[in-house]
């Protein structure tokens, strides 16, 4: 019967998966893996710094980059939705460029190319951020391109009637966008914004370069 065939197919997949796992477990050099990746002495030496330095830097960089990316992304999203053509074109060019190139390349551009070619040093422009300034700005540049599309999608998800109702009450377009549309859009954007924050936490590892 069809049900019986589906059961046989499912158990066949289970059997092949288990067999593959057994082959991997038997063929792996566990002594070498333990020495390379699971040395308890090395872990004990690194453990305090992992919490006091590495974890702290990761959280600070992720929060700074996310905050900067949100502000940049909101500006880019509003430019994408603008009725002025050059604003839309400039925003589209920025978004496509920094979504297309690797984040590592952006970090290199901000960290090395700007100081060498143009004499622009983020640490001097934003001294209150200290050593976090340069990597935070670089990650914000990348995050802003991705967040712009998320914010634009959230704004467009708000029914047009909300804007029309605000305009009928005498609000200008900018007031309607700031007070009515954008707050509702952020409620829609919470899940994708969470995903972007998780990606930023991962991208902080690139700062090591």
């Amino acid at each position: 019967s069809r049900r019986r065939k589906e059961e046989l197919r499912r158990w066949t997949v289970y059997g092949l998966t288990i067999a593959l796992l057994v082959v991997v477990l038997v063929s792996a050099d566990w002594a070498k893996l333990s020495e390379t990746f699971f040395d308890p002495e090395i872990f004990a030496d690194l453990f305090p710094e992992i919490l006091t330095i590495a974890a702290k830097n990761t959280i600070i960089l992720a929060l700074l980059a996310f905050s900067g990316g949100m502000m940049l992304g909101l500006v880019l999203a509003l430019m994408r939705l603008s009725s002025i053509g050059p604003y839309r074109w400039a925003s589209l060019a920025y978004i496509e460029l920094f979504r297309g190139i690797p984040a590592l390349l952006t970090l290199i551009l901000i960290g090395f190319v700007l100081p060498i070619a143009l004499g622009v040093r983020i640490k001097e422009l934003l001294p209150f951020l200290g050593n976090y300034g340069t990597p935070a700005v670089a990650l914000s540049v990348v995050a802003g391109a991705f967040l712009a599309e998320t914010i634009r999608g959230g704004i467009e998800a708000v029914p047009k009637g909300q804007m029309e109702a605000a305009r009928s009450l005498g609000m200008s377009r900018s007031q309607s966008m700031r007070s009515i549309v954008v707050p509702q859009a952020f409620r829609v954007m919470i899940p994708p914004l969470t995903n972007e924050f998780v990606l930023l936490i991962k991208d902080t590892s690139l700062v090591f370069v």
Side-chain angles (χ1 to χ4, degrees):
S1 65
R2 182 177 179 180
R3 182 177 179 182
R4 180 62 176 170
K5 289 180 180 178
E6 290 178 354
E7 290 181 356
L8 289 174
R9 190 181 300 112
R10 183 166 59 250
W11 283 108
T12 301
V13 172
Y14 292 162
L16 291 175
T17 303
I18 293 173
L20 179 61
L21 289 174
V22 170
V23 171
V24 171
L25 293 174
V26 171
S27 60
D29 188 349
W30 291 104
K32 188 66 175 180
L33 287 173
S34 177
E35 178 184 351
T36 306
F37 297 106
F38 304 106
D39 192 331
E41 295 181 359
I42 295 178
F43 181 78
D45 291 337
L46 295 178
F47 184 76
E49 286 76 13
I50 288 176
L51 294 179
T52 59
I53 298 177
K56 182 190 74 172
N57 289 341
T58 297
I59 294 172
I60 292 175
L61 282 174
L63 291 174
L64 289 174
F66 188 76
S67 302
M70 281 294 297
M71 292 187 288
L72 180 59
L74 181 59
V75 172
L76 291 169
L78 294 176
M79 290 173 64
R80 278 294 305 270
L81 298 172
S82 174
S83 58
I84 302 175
Y87 286 175
R88 295 198 307 271
W89 304 331
S91 175
L92 179 62
Y94 180 96
I95 291 171
E96 294 300 325
L97 174 64
F98 286 101
R99 288 180 68 182
I101 64 177
L104 179 59
L105 179 58
T106 304
L107 281 163
I108 293 173
L109 290 174
I110 300 296
F112 298 103
V113 176
L114 281 182
I116 294 173
L118 302 177
V120 177
R121 291 175 172 79
I122 304 298
K123 190 174 181 179
E124 296 177 358
L125 295 176
L126 303 172
F128 58 92
L129 292 179
N131 292 328
Y132 297 108
T134 301
V137 168
L139 292 175
S140 297
V141 168
V142 177
F146 288 92
L147 289 171
E149 288 296 275
T150 300
I151 296 173
R152 181 178 68 87
I155 292 174
E156 292 183 336
V158 177
K160 294 183 178 179
Q162 297 291 317
M163 173 65 77
E164 296 171 355
R167 296 300 299 274
S168 68
L169 293 175
M171 291 184 177
S172 65
R173 181 176 177 81
S174 59
Q175 288 176 329
S176 303
M177 186 68 71
R178 182 175 62 253
S179 302
I180 305 298
V181 177
V182 172
Q184 294 185 70
F186 271 98
R187 182 179 61 183
V188 178
M189 293 184 294
I190 289 176
L193 289 179
T194 304
N195 293 339
E196 182 59 33
F197 184 71
V198 172
L199 291 175
L200 269 177
I201 291 176
K202 297 178 181 180
D203 286 344
T204 56
S205 62
L206 299 174
V207 178
F208 175 78
V209 176

